[in-house]
Amino acid sequence: MAVAAAQKNREMFAIKKSYSIENGYPSRRRSLVDDARFETLVVKQTKQSVLEEARARANDSGLDSEFIQDGVPIGNGDNSPTVEDGTQQDETKNGQLADADIGDDASKTDEDYTLTEEEIILQNAASESPEAEQAIQQAALLLRMRDGMGSLARVLKTVDNYKGCVQHLETRPSQVTDVQFDALVKVSMSRNNLLQLIRSLRQSTAFAGVNLMTENISSKTPWFPRHASDLDNCNHLMTKYEPELDMNHPGFADKEYRERRKQIAEIAFAYKYGDPIPSISYKETENATWQRVFNTVLDLMPKHACREYKAAFTKLQEADIFVPHRIPQLEDVSNFLRKHTGFTLRPAAGLLTARDFLASLAFRVFQSTQYVRHANSPFHTPEPDCIHELLGHIPLLADPSFAQFSQEIGLASLGASDSEIEKLSTVYWFTVEFGLCKENHQLKAYGAALLSSIGELLHALSDKPELRPFEPASTSVQPYQDQEYQPIYYVAESFEDAKDKFRRWVSAMSRPFEVRFNPHTERVEVLDTVDKLETLIWQLNTEMLHLTNAVKKLKGTHFE
Ligand SMILES: C[C@H](O)[C@H](O)[C@H]1CNc2nc(N)[nH]c(=O)c2N1
Ligand SMILES: N[C@@H](Cc1ccc(O)cc1)C(=O)O
Ligand SMILES: [Fe+2]
């Protein structure tokens, strides 16, 4: 009966809220890598429907309605094309017409082509405000010229009519049937005029295709938070681990537990940047669960935890934050961390998507759950809870070197592609969550999910699992599950060594820009102009001057 009720509850809940189930996620599979893949899929589908909607709108409002392709008017529901990332982009590698790209692909793009993703983005960008409409846009157009070079005169004239400026012009013999030449024309003109230019060129029978392939209209880089306050938008949940949705969750059939968990999660939903984290008056049973885990960690830590963990743990005890009889309040922990490494906490309502979770690390913000695991399973729980965050993550976030490693993973994730997010979260999994390291030839644990799950800690340090050296390139593609204990663990020489290897690996990632966190403004800066770099170099020079002076002064006192 209880199970049936829970099932019903689960279905209702799924319709209202579940990110996973309403989208058809196979909820029995429990791997965060699968989650990331699933997230990718949902994001893609959502994007697709946004694009299709925009196409339909463009069609309704008459834009492009004069263009008929293959005898089918654009926007015809059944025949509406799908956007494939990359097909357009490939044609302007390094801004040149790339020979290798001529051929099947090129002709295919033309045939499939109606309103491209770039045009929709341009149209949306232009429609934001009158200023946005007039903003000057750099763009590249690929023109398929049926009648030879003579058509170029017409192109140049039309660009001129629209008050545009041609910045680059390149042609090649076309391999598309019935097309003599392809021309790559880079122009600069207002967005509105650019849209008109494209329309106008398309009306001419001289062109078999007019494709917009912009360099910087396109939002190929996924959105990412620029300021710590933008993290208010980075709270998307993977709900499949929640007690309502996971039949293996120890709280699945416990209504009171689920209510309590929901009530605490509400705090996270309401939380905004700058708010103090509300205190929770934990129940006796909740404090008792904490006490059980806390005491076991105290017992095992001296032998099995890494040096840095133990040192920070002692500091947390000295600050009266880690005591056996009560669960620490996140606000107190946040203030403690701020003093040691500049990390702070934000309340999280549950397991966050990898992209959102990693993004916050870039700002030295750790998103922490605040509810407590079910009293029946103190030594293992399927979703992160505050005991995991507090006993697992907090001590190392108070260690400067580890804090920096965490932030670097976060910075690398900003604007990364979906497959790179998947790799970064796998590295996170095998280091921050389940990492082992060496200390005087002995194996020690530093992973948070080992230090908060006693059963797994002992398993990891037994002779059962396979141990491999931490190597980002191979670690980042190692599949894993989070249902049972891990069969493989990765061993780092030290945090410094892990950081070095990670840095070298990250520098080969595809993101075309570097970012830097400015702690004074809590802003992430994209290092994309000489001005910004010069300002930074100037700041570093000043810093170097101070450091050099400090060395001189120390040496001076030494020898006097
Ligand atoms: C980045 C990686 O996927 C990692 O396991 C994340 C996912 N989301 C999370 N969400 C919360 N609330 N706590 C966590 O520890 C994590 N870990
Ligand atoms: N298994 C961990 C909690 C946890 C769950 C899921 C995670 O992704 C991470 C941590 C524990 O029992 O402490
Ligand atoms: Fe964790």
Side-chain angles (χ1 to χ4, degrees):
M1 200 54 213
V3 172
Q7 179 68 28
K8 179 135 183 39
N9 192 342
R10 172 188 167 126
E11 280 158 14
M12 279 164 50
F13 186 71
I15 291 158
K16 276 207 304 275
K17 186 174 157 218
S18 169
Y19 171 74
S20 312
I21 286 187
E22 78 188 77
N23 289 296
Y25 185 81
S27 64
R28 303 317 310 158
R29 294 286 303 280
R30 299 158 58 129
S31 145
L32 287 177
V33 169
D34 285 331
D35 292 351
R37 284 203 191 105
F38 181 71
E39 189 193 340
T40 306
L41 194 76
V42 173
V43 169
K44 260 204 184 126
Q45 283 168 351
T46 312
K47 187 165 135 194
Q48 206 107 60
S49 46
V50 169
L51 291 173
E52 266 152 30
E53 251 172 49
R55 280 195 188 98
R57 264 206 316 276
N59 203 36
D60 289 348
S61 67
L63 181 73
D64 284 2
S65 56
E66 60 270 45
F67 308 122
I68 309 256
Q69 309 238 336
D70 297 331
V72 180
I74 297 158
N76 176 309
D78 294 339
N79 223 358
S80 59
T82 53
V83 173
E84 270 188 50
D85 282 345
T87 45
Q88 308 272 325
Q89 207 180 16
D90 283 345
E91 299 209 329
T92 44
K93 275 187 197 125
N94 310 320
Q96 308 289 316
L97 275 178
D99 279 335
D101 292 329
I102 307 177
D104 298 358
D105 215 284
S107 54
K108 198 174 81 217
T109 342
D110 271 357
E111 277 156 23
D112 289 349
Y113 171 77
T114 54
L115 253 189
T116 62
E117 186 176 342
E118 279 78 5
E119 284 164 57
I120 289 166
I121 291 164
L122 173 62
Q123 205 172 295
N124 286 346
S127 66
E128 262 170 27
S129 65
E131 296 84 56
E133 195 176 89
Q134 292 311 317
I136 298 299
Q137 184 71 60
Q138 316 281 329
L141 295 170
L142 177 64
L143 309 175
R144 311 280 190 198
M145 302 189 293
R146 288 201 170 97
D147 312 327
M149 293 295 180
S151 310
L152 276 184
R154 177 177 175 147
V155 174
L156 298 178
K157 180 141 196 338
T158 321
V159 172
D160 197 47
N161 285 348
Y162 284 113
K163 303 193 177 52
C165 176
V166 173
Q167 293 175 326
H168 177 101
L169 181 61
E170 201 180 329
T171 59
R172 67 182 179 192
S174 184
Q175 295 197 348
V176 179
T177 330
D178 295 332
V179 173
Q180 290 199 28
F181 293 97
D182 300 332
L184 176 69
V185 190
K186 290 193 183 174
V187 295
S188 154
M189 63 172 69
S190 78
R191 286 177 176 150
N192 202 26
N193 284 2
L194 180 58
L195 285 163
Q196 309 251 11
L197 169 74
I198 296 168
R199 262 205 265 187
S200 159
L201 291 176
R202 285 215 185 113
Q203 277 170 348
S204 164
T205 50
F207 303 106
V210 177
N211 285 7
L212 172 66
M213 301 173 298
T214 57
E215 274 132 35
N216 58 359
I217 304 166
S218 155
S219 60
K220 288 256 153 46
T221 302
W223 177 88
F224 61 86
R226 300 299 176 109
H227 186 262
S229 59
D230 294 339
L231 296 175
D232 288 348
N233 299 319
C234 297
N235 48 14
H236 297 94
L237 292 176
M238 316 289 295
T239 50
K240 76 193 169 82
Y241 288 94
E242 291 183 0
E244 258 99 351
L245 297 169
D246 177 4
M247 277 162 64
N248 291 343
H249 194 291
F252 184 69
D254 183 342
K255 186 151 186 279
E256 200 184 318
Y257 177 81
R258 293 200 311 272
E259 281 305 314
R260 174 73 171 155
R261 190 196 167 297
K262 234 186 220 167
Q263 181 198 347
I264 294 178
E266 285 306 321
I267 292 179
F269 286 127
Y271 183 86
K272 290 277 170 288
Y273 167 78
D275 293 351
I277 306 173
S279 278
I280 294 202
S281 127
Y282 287 110
K283 297 179 183 174
E284 259 328 295
T285 47
E286 291 168 330
N287 281 322
T289 306
W290 158 265
Q291 185 152 10
R292 284 184 74 185
V293 188
F294 184 83
N295 285 336
T296 333
V297 171
L298 269 189
D299 275 354
L300 293 174
M301 181 177 73
K303 190 153 183 280
H304 298 306
C306 72
R307 187 189 316 119
E308 293 85 350
Y309 179 89
K310 288 190 277 195
F313 199 102
T314 307
K315 286 197 183 123
L316 282 153
Q317 285 176 302
E318 285 164 1
D320 216 23
I321 291 176
F322 272 10
V323 290
H325 58 276
R326 65 167 151 76
I327 300 175
Q329 294 294 336
L330 294 190
E331 179 69 11
D332 296 338
V333 176
S334 185
N335 290 334
F336 173 90
L337 286 180
R338 193 202 308 274
K339 276 189 265 172
H340 286 84
T341 54
F343 252 90
T344 56
L345 302 183
R346 275 185 73 108
L351 183 72
L352 297 167
T353 62
R355 193 180 279 283
D356 284 356
F357 183 79
L358 293 174
S360 62
L361 297 178
F363 297 83
R364 294 212 173 204
V365 170
F366 185 85
Q367 303 222 39
S368 171
T369 49
Q370 214 171 359
Y371 52 81
V372 186
R373 61 189 61 189
H374 196 269
N376 287 352
S377 66
F379 300 132
H380 186 270
T381 170
E383 54 169 359
D385 72 325
C386 74
I387 296 184
H388 162 72
E389 324 282 22
L390 290 164
L391 291 178
H393 289 289
I394 298 308
L396 283 180
L397 288 173
D399 177 82
S401 177
F402 185 86
Q404 199 194 359
F405 178 60
S406 304
Q407 183 178 27
E408 287 192 24
I409 298 186
L411 285 166
S413 80
L414 299 179
S417 66
D418 291 328
S419 68
E420 285 166 344
I421 290 286
E422 198 172 310
K423 288 185 182 164
L424 287 166
S425 51
T426 305
V427 167
Y428 185 91
W429 182 262
F430 284 116
T431 54
V432 180
E433 293 292 0
F434 289 97
L436 296 172
C437 63
K438 286 186 195 162
E439 227 173 76
N440 303 327
H441 308 291
Q442 279 185 328
L443 215 51
K444 303 281 171 178
Y446 72 91
L450 296 177
L451 292 159
S452 73
S453 174
I454 288 82
E456 178 135 14
L457 174 67
L458 296 177
H459 163 79
L461 296 169
S462 73
D463 56 6
K464 285 181 209 126
E466 181 187 341
L467 303 184
R468 297 185 190 166
F470 171 61
E471 219 31 91
S474 51
T475 307
S476 64
V477 292
Q478 174 61 46
Y480 65 86
Q481 46 75 38
D482 48 359
Q483 206 161 15
E484 292 157 34
Y485 295 160
Q486 303 297 311
I488 302 168
Y489 296 94
Y490 287 88
V491 184
E493 294 295 321
S494 64
F495 294 156
E496 296 309 317
D497 187 55
K499 260 193 306 193
D500 278 356
K501 287 186 166 143
F502 180 76
R503 248 179 234 139
R504 251 173 282 139
W505 174 70
V506 157
S507 64
M509 282 183 25
S510 73
R511 189 175 62 184
F513 52 84
E514 275 294 328
V515 295
R516 174 183 174 274
F517 179 64
N518 180 338
H520 309 299
T521 57
E522 292 183 277
R523 207 169 275 288
V524 162
E525 295 163 0
V526 176
L527 301 179
D528 57 357
T529 67
V530 173
D531 275 1
K532 284 185 199 167
L533 286 169
E534 273 178 351
T535 310
L536 268 178
I537 290 169
W538 175 81
Q539 280 168 5
L540 284 177
N541 275 339
T542 315
E543 189 100 346
M544 275 306 283
L545 201 71
H546 286 300
L547 296 180
T548 317
N549 275 345
V551 172
K552 273 192 206 145
K553 285 182 185 175
L554 280 179
K555 279 191 175 161
T557 44
H558 225 72
F559 292 118
E560 262 164 21

Coordinates of all heavy atoms in Angstrom, one line a residue, residues 32 351 373 379-384 388 429 433 449 452-453, ligand 2:
L32 N 26.7 9.4 -13.2 CA 26.7 10.8 -13.5 C 27.1 11.1 -14.9 O 26.8 12.1 -15.5 CB 27.5 11.5 -12.5 CG 26.9 11.7 -11.1 CD1 27.9 12.3 -10.2 CD2 25.6 12.4 -11.2
L351 N 21.1 17.1 -5.8 CA 22.2 16.9 -6.8 C 22.1 17.8 -8.0 O 21.1 17.7 -8.7 CB 22.2 15.4 -7.2 CG 23.3 14.9 -8.1 CD1 24.6 14.8 -7.4 CD2 23.0 13.6 -8.8
R373 N 20.9 12.8 5.6 CA 20.6 11.5 5.1 C 19.6 10.8 6.1 O 19.4 11.2 7.2 CB 21.8 10.6 5.0 CG 22.6 10.4 6.3 CD 24.0 9.8 6.0 NE 24.8 10.6 5.2 CZ 26.0 10.2 4.7 NH1 26.5 9.0 4.9 NH2 26.7 11.0 3.9
F379 N 25.8 5.2 7.0 CA 27.1 5.0 6.3 C 27.1 5.0 4.8 O 28.2 4.8 4.2 CB 27.8 3.7 6.9 CG 28.0 3.9 8.4 CD1 27.6 2.8 9.3 CD2 28.5 5.0 9.0 CE1 27.7 3.0 10.6 CE2 28.6 5.2 10.3 CZ 28.2 4.1 11.2
H380 N 26.0 5.1 4.2 CA 25.9 5.3 2.8 C 24.6 5.8 2.4 O 23.6 5.4 2.9 CB 26.2 4.0 2.0 CG 26.3 4.2 0.6 ND1 25.2 4.2 -0.3 CD2 27.4 4.6 -0.2 CE1 25.6 4.5 -1.5 NE2 26.9 4.8 -1.5
T381 N 24.6 6.8 1.4 CA 23.3 7.3 0.9 C 23.5 7.6 -0.6 O 24.6 7.9 -1.0 CB 23.0 8.6 1.7 OG1 21.9 9.3 1.0 CG2 24.1 9.6 1.8
P382 N 22.4 7.5 -1.3 CA 22.6 7.6 -2.8 C 22.7 9.0 -3.3 O 23.1 9.2 -4.5 CB 21.3 6.9 -3.3 CG 20.3 7.1 -2.2 CD 21.1 7.0 -1.0
E383 N 22.3 10.0 -2.5 CA 22.5 11.4 -3.0 C 23.3 12.2 -2.0 O 23.3 11.8 -0.8 CB 21.1 12.0 -3.2 CG 20.2 12.0 -1.9 CD 19.0 12.9 -2.0 OE1 18.8 13.5 -3.1 OE2 18.2 12.9 -1.1
P384 N 24.0 13.2 -2.5 CA 24.8 14.0 -1.5 C 23.9 14.6 -0.5 O 22.8 15.1 -0.8 CB 25.4 15.1 -2.4 CG 24.9 14.9 -3.7 CD 24.0 13.7 -3.8
H388 N 27.8 14.4 3.9 CA 28.8 14.2 2.9 C 29.5 15.5 2.6 O 30.8 15.5 2.6 CB 28.1 13.7 1.6 CG 29.0 13.8 0.4 ND1 30.1 13.0 0.2 CD2 28.9 14.7 -0.7 CE1 30.6 13.4 -1.0 NE2 29.9 14.4 -1.5
W429 N 35.0 13.4 -10.4 CA 34.6 12.1 -9.7 C 35.8 11.3 -9.2 O 35.8 10.9 -8.0 CB 33.8 11.3 -10.8 CG 33.2 10.0 -10.2 CD1 33.8 8.8 -10.3 CD2 32.0 9.9 -9.5 NE1 33.0 7.9 -9.7 CE2 31.9 8.5 -9.2 CE3 31.1 10.8 -9.0 CZ2 30.8 8.0 -8.4 CZ3 30.0 10.3 -8.3 CH2 29.9 8.9 -8.0
E433 N 35.9 13.4 -5.5 CA 35.0 12.5 -4.8 C 35.7 11.2 -4.3 O 35.4 10.8 -3.2 CB 33.8 12.2 -5.7 CG 32.9 13.4 -6.0 CD 32.1 13.8 -4.8 OE1 32.2 13.3 -3.7 OE2 31.3 14.8 -5.0
A449 N 33.7 11.5 -1.1 CA 32.7 10.4 -0.9 C 33.4 9.1 -0.3 O 32.7 8.2 0.1 CB 32.2 10.0 -2.3
S452 N 33.3 10.4 3.6 CA 31.9 10.5 4.2 C 31.2 9.1 4.1 O 30.1 9.0 4.6 CB 31.1 11.5 3.6 OG 30.7 11.1 2.3
S453 N 31.8 8.1 3.5 CA 31.2 6.8 3.5 C 32.2 5.7 3.9 O 33.1 5.3 3.2 CB 30.7 6.5 2.0 OG 30.2 5.2 2.0
Ligands
LIG2 N1 27.7 8.1 -1.2 C1 28.0 9.3 -0.4 C2 27.1 10.4 -0.8 C3 27.2 10.8 -2.2 C4 26.2 10.4 -3.1 C5 26.2 10.7 -4.4 C6 27.3 11.5 -4.9 O1 27.3 11.9 -6.2 C7 28.3 11.9 -4.0 C8 28.2 11.6 -2.7 C9 27.9 9.0 1.1 O2 27.3 8.0 1.5 O3 28.5 9.8 1.8

